[in-house]
């Protein structure tokens, strides 16, 4: 139906959306709509939110269920706005340690040149000057945010204001918006142009070479991201149950200065570990900062004191890496980190790059009879036998559903005493679940090496070898 307007034009009368009559879409109970939204991606949720107010109410809790924070002021301000508006929905806090290294103009230009710009024209030089100016402003802001305690304050504000945060993810990956147009506007002085170059889009890679963005953690203990998170947890009444480290760069991702705490700091921070049910930590020893065995053992003991409080853990993953490539395969004593710890509720255990004895490992597993997943990789058995360990696991872990023992050293009988075992054929799992013989006997190892020498490898359903690097697999 149409009606004339005052100026003679005809306006279409509003029509009822045909979809509004569809009971399968618009008359579903809120619980069903919520379940549907739980299977959608963030991009899909953004579109669904625009359908109607009913769909918006169902989509918002999933669309704003996590916040991202970093050392950049723009990210902190965006996080604050999200908290003020959607704090009841936020369940995950992602904190990035990505920062900007201290670099002079000469090295900055070298980094730009390395990435494809030779600085031959006036336009190139102007580009370099502007990029370096933005870089220095960004780095200065990061340093000030740390020195003034602003980052720590924002973390505490998030944990205090969002009662439903249960998970904290520490990453060294920068946000896609870390150097976006809005972020650069925060760094730039007022009334100044965003960019001096005509047609510039201010993408991250166009202005800052990747060399100036450090994917690791700051060296100062008071500025270490782990320390900041532990301090925020210790001064707030939060109910976080999962702490997870998800590193991207396994070469320079972290050091252990966060654990070199004084007794008072340690006592205050470890309180939060009692409530944890999931804990994943990939840590490295910085031999330049902690150069003696005494320093390393001190840090080991501090990690152990934290984990000793975590009696309610259900999932534990510990990967210990050496920070410098020259000694990247060095392993560390498991008993110094987990020697006196007991985890009666543990269901999943992942350990990598450790050394231990048969007695030490079985002592840990004896207190964790509920284990459903057991993964031991890149580790050394100093004393004992892998044969007895897997025999015990098969007989004593009735809930075990998945087991991977890969890239193992030591614990083999002659003539295989110095062998390295990589379970590319799945023999460990076959034995543990009663579908094959013990893979670590002398006869089994002989057959294994014969298969290896013949080039026979196990292929997974997606193609490629079944074995992948431990850091890629669990992070």
């Amino acid at each position: 139906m149409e009606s004339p307007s005052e100026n003679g034009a005809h306006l279409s009368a509003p029509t009822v959306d045909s979809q509004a009559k569809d009971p399968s879409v618009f008359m579903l109970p809120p619980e069903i709509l919520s379940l549907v939204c739980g299977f959608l991606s963030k991009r899909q949720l953004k579109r669904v939110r625009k359908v109607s107010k009913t769909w918006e109410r169902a989509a918002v809790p999933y669309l704003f269920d996590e916040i991202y924070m970093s050392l950049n002021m723009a990210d902190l301000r965006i996080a604050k706005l999200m908290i003020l508006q959607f704090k009841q929905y936020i369940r995950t806090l992602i904190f990035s340690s990505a920062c900007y290294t201290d670099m002079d103009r000469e090295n900055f230009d070298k980094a730009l040149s390395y990435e494809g710009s030779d600085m031959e024209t006036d336009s190139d030089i102007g580009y370099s000057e502007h990029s370096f100016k933005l870089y220095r402003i960004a780095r200065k802001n990061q340093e000030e945010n740390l020195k003034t305690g602003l980052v720590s304050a924002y973390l505490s504000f998030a944990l205090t204001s969002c009662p439903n945060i249960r998970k904290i993810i520490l990453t060294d990956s920068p946000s896609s918006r870390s150097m976006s147009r809005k972020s650069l506007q925060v760094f730039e002085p007022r009334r100044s142009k965003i960019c001096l170059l005509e047609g510039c889009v201010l993408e991250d890679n166009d202005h800052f070479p990747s060399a100036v963005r450090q994917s690791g953690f700051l060296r100062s203990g008071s500025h270490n991201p782990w320390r900041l998170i532990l301090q925020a947890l210790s001064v707030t009444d939060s109910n976080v149950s999962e702490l997870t480290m998800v590193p991207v760069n396994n070469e320079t991702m972290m050091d252990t200065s966060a654990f070199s705490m004084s007794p008072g700091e340690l006592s205050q921070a470890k309180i939060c570990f009692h409530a944890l049910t999931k804990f994943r930590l990939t840590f490295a020893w910085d031999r330049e900062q902690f150069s003696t065995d005494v320093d390393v053992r001190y840090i080991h003991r501090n990690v152990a004191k934290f984990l000793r409080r975590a009696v309610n853990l259900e999932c534990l993953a510990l990967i210990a890496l050496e920070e410098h490539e020259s000694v990247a395969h060095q392993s560390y004593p498991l008993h110094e980190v987990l020697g006196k710890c007991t985890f009666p509720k543990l269901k999943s255990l992942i350990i990598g790059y450790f050394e231990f004895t048969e007695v030490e490992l079985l002592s840990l597993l004896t207190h964790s009879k509920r284990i459903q997943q057991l993964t031991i990789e890149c580790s050394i058995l100093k004393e004992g036998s892998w044969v007895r360990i897997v025999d015990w696991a098969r007989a004593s872990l009735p809930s075990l559903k998945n087991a991977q023992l890969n890239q193992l050293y030591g614990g083999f009988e002659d003539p295989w005493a110095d062998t390295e075992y990589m379970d590319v054929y799945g023999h460990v799992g076959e034995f543990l679940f009663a579908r094959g013989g013990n893979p670590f006997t002398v006869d089994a190892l002989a057959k294994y090496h014969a298969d290896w020498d013949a080039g026979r490898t196990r292929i997974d359903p997606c193609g490629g070898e079944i074995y992948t690097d431990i850091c890629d697999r669990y992070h």
Side-chain angles (χ1 to χ4, degrees):
M1 178 179 177
E2 295 182 346
S3 58
S5 62
E6 293 180 358
N7 59 5
H10 287 78
L11 299 176
S12 297
T15 59
V16 179
D17 190 343
S18 60
Q19 287 185 332
K21 298 179 180 179
D22 186 354
S24 64
V25 177
F26 285 90
M27 297 184 65
L28 292 175
E31 295 81 2
I32 302 299
L33 292 180
S34 179
L35 289 174
V36 171
C37 290
F39 290 96
L40 302 180
S41 65
K42 297 290 186 182
R43 180 175 296 181
Q44 292 170 329
L45 288 169
K46 291 178 181 179
R47 293 199 296 263
V48 164
R49 186 187 179 192
K50 300 177 182 178
V51 173
S52 69
K53 291 184 178 180
T54 301
W55 276 94
E56 180 183 31
R57 286 192 293 268
V60 163
Y62 294 97
L63 186 58
F64 300 100
D65 62 341
E66 65 182 29
I67 54 172
Y68 175 91
M69 304 179 73
S70 74
L71 308 183
N72 293 331
M73 195 66 239
D75 288 323
L76 295 176
R77 290 178 177 174
I78 291 172
K80 180 179 178 180
L81 292 175
M82 280 191 60
I83 291 170
L84 293 175
Q85 186 70 23
F86 304 107
K87 58 185 177 183
Q88 68 270 32
Y89 305 125
I90 299 174
R91 290 174 170 78
T92 301
L93 168 62
I94 302 173
F95 184 73
S96 172
S97 66
C99 58
Y100 298 102
T101 57
D102 192 8
M103 189 174 290
D104 58 24
R105 176 64 184 275
E106 181 180 357
N107 289 324
F108 188 89
D109 286 346
K110 287 180 180 179
L112 282 177
S113 178
Y114 178 77
E115 296 193 359
S117 179
D118 295 329
M119 305 300 161
E120 295 179 349
T121 67
D122 292 340
S123 177
D124 290 332
I125 296 174
Y127 169 85
S128 173
E129 290 177 351
H130 180 61
S131 298
F132 186 72
K133 175 186 175 183
L134 292 178
Y135 154 71
R136 296 305 301 180
I137 295 174
R139 174 172 167 76
K140 179 181 178 181
N141 275 269
Q142 283 191 342
E143 290 292 306
E144 288 181 353
N145 290 344
L146 287 168
K147 289 179 181 178
T148 60
L150 193 63
V151 176
S152 180
Y154 269 90
L155 282 171
S156 298
F157 168 73
L159 293 174
T160 303
S161 304
C162 305
N164 296 318
I165 288 183
R166 296 293 181 268
K167 181 178 182 178
I168 295 179
I169 299 176
L170 178 59
T171 180
D172 55 6
S173 175
S175 168
S176 59
R177 65 171 180 265
S178 60
M179 278 293 106
S180 64
R181 183 177 296 271
K182 290 183 178 180
S183 183
L184 288 173
Q185 285 176 331
V186 174
F187 294 133
E188 281 276 60
R190 288 186 179 182
R191 298 186 179 87
S192 65
K193 294 183 179 180
I194 294 299
C195 186
L196 303 176
L197 301 178
E198 185 178 353
C200 177
V201 295
L202 287 179
E203 292 182 355
D204 196 4
N205 293 335
D206 291 339
H207 281 78
F208 295 166
S210 58
V212 308
R213 294 190 301 277
Q214 178 180 332
S215 295
F217 295 178
L218 301 182
R219 299 301 179 190
S220 173
S222 61
H223 298 164
N224 186 285
W226 261 122
R227 180 77 69 90
L228 293 174
I229 288 176
L230 292 176
Q231 288 177 342
L233 285 170
S234 66
V235 299
T236 57
D237 190 22
S238 61
N239 293 313
V240 172
S241 60
E242 181 173 353
L243 285 178
T244 300
M245 176 181 284
V246 185
V248 174
N249 187 336
N250 290 323
E251 301 295 338
T252 60
M253 57 189 171
M254 71 209 77
D255 60 44
T256 50
S257 59
F259 299 101
S260 59
M261 293 182 170
S262 66
E265 292 175 319
L266 189 71
S267 177
Q268 184 181 17
K270 70 182 181 181
I271 295 175
C272 64
F273 274 69
H274 184 77
L276 291 185
T277 58
K278 296 181 180 180
F279 183 66
R280 178 175 294 175
L281 173 64
T282 304
F283 54 105
W285 313 122
D286 183 357
R287 289 294 181 179
E288 294 180 357
Q289 184 174 4
F290 305 103
S291 57
T292 68
D293 290 338
V294 175
D295 292 332
V296 173
R297 286 197 296 269
Y298 173 67
I299 297 171
H300 283 163
R301 287 195 296 270
N302 281 357
V303 175
K305 289 177 181 177
F306 279 119
L307 292 177
R308 209 172 299 162
R309 293 275 304 183
V311 295
N312 292 309
L313 275 185
E314 296 180 1
C315 300
L316 172 64
L318 290 177
I319 311 298
L321 299 176
E322 179 67 51
E323 184 161 346
H324 303 293
E325 272 190 72
S326 59
V327 285
H329 295 291
Q330 182 173 350
S331 299
Y332 296 90
L334 183 67
H335 73 90
E336 291 188 7
V337 179
L338 296 178
K340 296 182 180 180
C341 298
T342 59
F343 308 108
K345 300 181 180 181
L346 200 64
K347 296 180 181 179
S348 175
L349 175 64
I350 300 171
I351 55 177
Y353 295 94
F354 281 98
E355 62 179 33
F356 43 80
T357 67
E358 176 186 335
V359 173
E360 290 167 355
L361 179 61
L362 295 185
S363 175
L364 174 64
L365 296 177
T366 299
H367 294 93
S368 307
K369 292 293 186 69
R370 299 182 182 180
I371 285 183
Q372 299 176 10
Q373 177 189 358
L374 175 63
T375 299
I376 302 174
E377 294 197 344
C378 307
S379 296
I380 302 173
L381 189 64
K382 296 189 300 180
E383 296 178 6
S385 167
W386 289 111
V387 173
R388 290 193 293 270
I389 289 175
V390 294
D391 278 335
W392 181 92
R394 179 173 174 175
S396 305
L397 299 177
S399 300
L400 194 63
K401 297 179 180 178
N402 181 280
Q404 299 181 46
L405 277 70
N406 206 356
Q407 204 165 346
L408 307 176
Y409 306 87
F412 301 105
E413 299 179 13
D414 290 331
W416 312 109
D418 297 325
T419 194
E420 172 190 356
Y421 188 87
M422 297 176 62
D423 191 30
V424 293
Y425 306 106
H427 292 162
V428 173
E430 290 178 359
F431 169 72
L432 288 174
F433 303 109
R435 293 190 295 269
N438 192 313
F440 300 127
T441 61
V442 172
D443 293 340
L445 286 172
K447 181 179 182 299
Y448 163 83
H449 280 275
D451 288 340
W452 182 272
D453 293 337
R456 289 188 287 271
T457 56
R458 182 183 176 199
I459 305 299
D460 69 11
C462 299
E465 293 186 7
I466 198 73
Y467 174 74
T468 56
D469 186 79
I470 184 172
C471 296
D472 294 334
R473 187 180 303 172
Y474 301 113
H475 298 285

CSV table of all heavy atoms in Angstrom, one decimal, residues 245-279:
chain,number,residue,atom,x,y,z
A,245,MET,N,50.6,-19.9,29.0
A,245,MET,CA,51.5,-19.2,28.2
A,245,MET,C,51.5,-19.7,26.7
A,245,MET,O,51.7,-20.9,26.5
A,245,MET,CB,52.9,-19.3,28.8
A,245,MET,CG,54.0,-18.6,27.9
A,245,MET,SD,55.6,-18.8,28.6
A,245,MET,CE,55.5,-17.6,30.0
A,246,VAL,N,51.3,-18.9,25.8
A,246,VAL,CA,51.2,-19.3,24.4
A,246,VAL,C,52.3,-18.5,23.6
A,246,VAL,O,52.0,-17.4,23.0
A,246,VAL,CB,49.8,-19.0,23.8
A,246,VAL,CG1,49.8,-19.6,22.3
A,246,VAL,CG2,48.8,-19.7,24.6
A,247,PRO,N,53.5,-19.0,23.6
A,247,PRO,CA,54.6,-18.2,22.9
A,247,PRO,C,54.5,-18.5,21.4
A,247,PRO,O,54.2,-19.6,21.0
A,247,PRO,CB,55.9,-18.8,23.5
A,247,PRO,CG,55.5,-20.2,23.9
A,247,PRO,CD,54.0,-20.2,24.3
A,248,VAL,N,54.9,-17.5,20.6
A,248,VAL,CA,55.0,-17.6,19.2
A,248,VAL,C,56.5,-17.8,18.7
A,248,VAL,O,56.8,-18.6,17.9
A,248,VAL,CB,54.4,-16.4,18.5
A,248,VAL,CG1,54.6,-16.5,17.0
A,248,VAL,CG2,52.9,-16.3,18.8
A,249,ASN,N,57.4,-17.0,19.3
A,249,ASN,CA,58.8,-17.1,19.0
A,249,ASN,C,59.5,-17.9,20.1
A,249,ASN,O,59.7,-17.4,21.2
A,249,ASN,CB,59.3,-15.7,18.9
A,249,ASN,CG,60.8,-15.6,18.4
A,249,ASN,OD1,61.5,-16.6,18.5
A,249,ASN,ND2,61.2,-14.5,17.9
A,250,ASN,N,59.9,-19.1,19.7
A,250,ASN,CA,60.5,-20.0,20.7
A,250,ASN,C,62.0,-19.7,20.9
A,250,ASN,O,62.7,-20.3,21.7
A,250,ASN,CB,60.4,-21.4,20.2
A,250,ASN,CG,59.0,-21.9,20.3
A,250,ASN,OD1,58.3,-21.5,21.3
A,250,ASN,ND2,58.5,-22.7,19.4
A,251,GLU,N,62.6,-18.7,20.2
A,251,GLU,CA,64.0,-18.4,20.4
A,251,GLU,C,64.1,-17.3,21.5
A,251,GLU,O,65.0,-17.4,22.3
A,251,GLU,CB,64.5,-17.8,19.0
A,251,GLU,CG,64.4,-18.8,17.9
A,251,GLU,CD,65.3,-20.0,18.1
A,251,GLU,OE1,66.2,-20.0,18.9
A,251,GLU,OE2,65.0,-21.1,17.5
A,252,THR,N,63.3,-16.2,21.4
A,252,THR,CA,63.5,-15.1,22.4
A,252,THR,C,62.2,-14.9,23.1
A,252,THR,O,62.0,-13.7,23.5
A,252,THR,CB,63.9,-13.9,21.6
A,252,THR,OG1,62.9,-13.5,20.7
A,252,THR,CG2,65.2,-14.1,20.9
A,253,MET,N,61.5,-15.9,23.4
A,253,MET,CA,60.1,-15.7,23.9
A,253,MET,C,60.1,-15.2,25.3
A,253,MET,O,59.2,-14.5,25.7
A,253,MET,CB,59.3,-16.9,23.7
A,253,MET,CG,59.8,-18.1,24.4
A,253,MET,SD,58.9,-19.6,23.9
A,253,MET,CE,59.9,-20.9,24.6
A,254,MET,N,61.0,-15.6,26.1
A,254,MET,CA,60.9,-15.3,27.6
A,254,MET,C,62.2,-15.6,28.3
A,254,MET,O,63.1,-16.2,27.8
A,254,MET,CB,59.8,-16.1,28.2
A,254,MET,CG,60.2,-17.6,28.3
A,254,MET,SD,58.8,-18.7,28.2
A,254,MET,CE,58.5,-18.7,26.4
A,255,ASP,N,62.2,-15.0,29.5
A,255,ASP,CA,63.2,-15.5,30.4
A,255,ASP,C,62.5,-15.8,31.8
A,255,ASP,O,61.3,-15.8,31.8
A,255,ASP,CB,64.3,-14.4,30.6
A,255,ASP,CG,63.8,-13.1,31.2
A,255,ASP,OD1,62.9,-13.2,32.1
A,255,ASP,OD2,64.2,-12.1,30.7
A,256,THR,N,63.3,-16.1,32.8
A,256,THR,CA,62.7,-16.6,34.0
A,256,THR,C,62.8,-15.5,35.2
A,256,THR,O,62.6,-15.9,36.3
A,256,THR,CB,63.3,-17.9,34.5
A,256,THR,OG1,64.8,-17.7,34.5
A,256,THR,CG2,63.0,-19.0,33.6
A,257,SER,N,63.0,-14.3,34.8
A,257,SER,CA,63.1,-13.3,35.9
A,257,SER,C,61.9,-13.1,36.7
A,257,SER,O,61.9,-12.6,37.8
A,257,SER,CB,63.6,-11.9,35.2
A,257,SER,OG,62.6,-11.5,34.3
A,258,ALA,N,60.7,-13.5,36.1
A,258,ALA,CA,59.5,-13.4,36.9
A,258,ALA,C,59.5,-14.2,38.1
A,258,ALA,O,58.8,-14.0,39.1
A,258,ALA,CB,58.3,-13.7,36.0
A,259,PHE,N,60.3,-15.3,38.1
A,259,PHE,CA,60.3,-16.2,39.2
A,259,PHE,C,61.4,-16.0,40.2
A,259,PHE,O,61.6,-16.7,41.2
A,259,PHE,CB,60.4,-17.7,38.7
A,259,PHE,CG,59.2,-18.0,37.9
A,259,PHE,CD1,59.4,-18.0,36.5
A,259,PHE,CD2,58.0,-18.4,38.4
A,259,PHE,CE1,58.3,-18.4,35.6
A,259,PHE,CE2,56.9,-18.7,37.6
A,259,PHE,CZ,57.1,-18.7,36.2
A,260,SER,N,62.3,-14.9,40.0
A,260,SER,CA,63.3,-14.6,40.9
A,260,SER,C,62.8,-13.6,41.9
A,260,SER,O,63.3,-12.5,42.1
A,260,SER,CB,64.5,-14.0,40.2
A,260,SER,OG,64.1,-12.8,39.4
A,261,MET,N,61.8,-14.0,42.7
A,261,MET,CA,61.1,-13.1,43.6
A,261,MET,C,61.7,-13.3,45.0
A,261,MET,O,62.3,-14.3,45.4
A,261,MET,CB,59.7,-13.5,43.7
A,261,MET,CG,58.9,-13.2,42.5
A,261,MET,SD,57.1,-13.7,42.7
A,261,MET,CE,56.4,-13.0,41.2
A,262,SER,N,61.5,-12.2,45.8
A,262,SER,CA,61.9,-12.2,47.2
A,262,SER,C,60.9,-13.1,47.9
A,262,SER,O,59.8,-13.4,47.5
A,262,SER,CB,61.9,-10.8,47.8
A,262,SER,OG,60.6,-10.3,47.8
A,263,PRO,N,61.3,-13.6,49.1
A,263,PRO,CA,60.3,-14.4,49.9
A,263,PRO,C,59.0,-13.8,50.1
A,263,PRO,O,57.9,-14.4,50.1
A,263,PRO,CB,61.1,-14.7,51.2
A,263,PRO,CG,62.5,-14.6,50.9
A,263,PRO,CD,62.6,-13.5,49.8
A,264,GLY,N,59.0,-12.4,50.4
A,264,GLY,CA,57.7,-11.7,50.6
A,264,GLY,C,56.9,-11.7,49.4
A,264,GLY,O,55.6,-12.0,49.5
A,265,GLU,N,57.5,-11.4,48.3
A,265,GLU,CA,56.7,-11.3,47.0
A,265,GLU,C,56.2,-12.7,46.6
A,265,GLU,O,55.1,-12.9,46.2
A,265,GLU,CB,57.6,-10.8,45.9
A,265,GLU,CG,58.0,-9.4,46.0
A,265,GLU,CD,59.0,-9.0,44.9
A,265,GLU,OE1,59.9,-9.8,44.6
A,265,GLU,OE2,58.9,-7.9,44.4
A,266,LEU,N,57.0,-13.7,46.9
A,266,LEU,CA,56.7,-15.1,46.5
A,266,LEU,C,55.5,-15.5,47.4
A,266,LEU,O,54.5,-16.1,46.9
A,266,LEU,CB,57.9,-16.0,46.8
A,266,LEU,CG,57.7,-17.5,46.3
A,266,LEU,CD1,57.8,-17.5,44.8
A,266,LEU,CD2,58.9,-18.3,46.8
A,267,SER,N,55.5,-15.2,48.7
A,267,SER,CA,54.4,-15.6,49.5
A,267,SER,C,53.1,-15.0,49.1
A,267,SER,O,52.1,-15.6,49.2
A,267,SER,CB,54.8,-15.3,51.0
A,267,SER,OG,53.7,-15.6,51.9
A,268,GLN,N,53.2,-13.7,48.7
A,268,GLN,CA,52.0,-13.0,48.3
A,268,GLN,C,51.4,-13.6,47.0
A,268,GLN,O,50.2,-13.8,46.8
A,268,GLN,CB,52.2,-11.5,48.2
A,268,GLN,CG,51.0,-10.7,47.9
A,268,GLN,CD,51.3,-9.2,47.8
A,268,GLN,OE1,52.5,-8.9,47.6
A,268,GLN,NE2,50.3,-8.4,47.9
A,269,ALA,N,52.3,-13.8,46.0
A,269,ALA,CA,51.8,-14.2,44.7
A,269,ALA,C,51.4,-15.6,44.6
A,269,ALA,O,50.5,-15.9,43.8
A,269,ALA,CB,53.0,-13.9,43.7
A,270,LYS,N,51.9,-16.5,45.4
A,270,LYS,CA,51.6,-17.9,45.2
A,270,LYS,C,50.2,-18.3,45.7
A,270,LYS,O,49.7,-19.4,45.5
A,270,LYS,CB,52.6,-18.8,45.8
A,270,LYS,CG,52.7,-18.8,47.4
A,270,LYS,CD,53.8,-19.7,47.9
A,270,LYS,CE,53.9,-19.7,49.4
A,270,LYS,NZ,55.0,-20.5,49.9
A,271,ILE,N,49.6,-17.4,46.4
A,271,ILE,CA,48.2,-17.6,47.0
A,271,ILE,C,47.2,-18.0,45.9
A,271,ILE,O,46.4,-18.9,46.0
A,271,ILE,CB,47.7,-16.4,47.8
A,271,ILE,CG1,48.6,-16.2,49.0
A,271,ILE,CG2,46.3,-16.6,48.2
A,271,ILE,CD1,48.2,-14.9,49.8
A,272,CYS,N,47.4,-17.3,44.7
A,272,CYS,CA,46.4,-17.5,43.6
A,272,CYS,C,46.5,-18.9,43.0
A,272,CYS,O,45.6,-19.4,42.4
A,272,CYS,CB,46.6,-16.5,42.5
A,272,CYS,SG,48.3,-16.6,41.7
A,273,PHE,N,47.6,-19.6,43.2
A,273,PHE,CA,47.8,-20.9,42.6
A,273,PHE,C,46.9,-22.0,43.2
A,273,PHE,O,46.7,-23.0,42.6
A,273,PHE,CB,49.3,-21.4,42.7
A,273,PHE,CG,50.1,-20.9,41.6
A,273,PHE,CD1,50.4,-19.5,41.5
A,273,PHE,CD2,50.6,-21.7,40.6
A,273,PHE,CE1,51.2,-19.0,40.5
A,273,PHE,CE2,51.4,-21.2,39.6
A,273,PHE,CZ,51.7,-19.9,39.5
A,274,HIS,N,46.4,-21.8,44.4
A,274,HIS,CA,45.5,-22.8,45.0
A,274,HIS,C,44.2,-23.0,44.2
A,274,HIS,O,43.7,-24.1,44.2
A,274,HIS,CB,45.2,-22.4,46.4
A,274,HIS,CG,44.4,-23.4,47.2
A,274,HIS,ND1,45.0,-24.6,47.7
A,274,HIS,CD2,43.1,-23.5,47.5
A,274,HIS,CE1,44.0,-25.3,48.3
A,274,HIS,NE2,42.9,-24.6,48.2
A,275,ALA,N,43.8,-22.0,43.5
A,275,ALA,CA,42.5,-22.1,42.8
A,275,ALA,C,42.7,-22.6,41.4
A,275,ALA,O,41.7,-22.8,40.7
A,275,ALA,CB,41.8,-20.7,42.8
A,276,LEU,N,43.9,-22.7,40.9
A,276,LEU,CA,44.2,-23.1,39.5
A,276,LEU,C,43.8,-24.5,39.2
A,276,LEU,O,44.0,-25.4,40.0
A,276,LEU,CB,45.6,-22.9,39.1
A,276,LEU,CG,46.2,-21.5,39.1
A,276,LEU,CD1,47.6,-21.5,38.6
A,276,LEU,CD2,45.3,-20.6,38.2
A,277,THR,N,43.1,-24.7,38.1
A,277,THR,CA,42.9,-26.1,37.6
A,277,THR,C,43.7,-26.4,36.3
A,277,THR,O,43.8,-27.6,36.0
A,277,THR,CB,41.4,-26.3,37.3
A,277,THR,OG1,41.0,-25.3,36.3
A,277,THR,CG2,40.5,-26.1,38.5
A,278,LYS,N,44.1,-25.4,35.6
A,278,LYS,CA,44.9,-25.6,34.4
A,278,LYS,C,46.1,-24.6,34.5
A,278,LYS,O,46.0,-23.4,34.7
A,278,LYS,CB,44.1,-25.3,33.1
A,278,LYS,CG,43.0,-26.3,32.9
A,278,LYS,CD,42.2,-26.0,31.7
A,278,LYS,CE,41.0,-26.9,31.5
A,278,LYS,NZ,40.3,-26.6,30.2
A,279,PHE,N,47.3,-25.2,34.2
A,279,PHE,CA,48.5,-24.3,34.2
A,279,PHE,C,49.4,-24.8,33.1
A,279,PHE,O,49.8,-26.0,33.0
A,279,PHE,CB,49.2,-24.4,35.5
A,279,PHE,CG,50.4,-23.6,35.6
A,279,PHE,CD1,50.3,-22.2,35.6
A,279,PHE,CD2,51.7,-24.1,35.7
A,279,PHE,CE1,51.4,-21.4,35.7
A,279,PHE,CE2,52.8,-23.3,35.8
A,279,PHE,CZ,52.7,-21.9,35.8
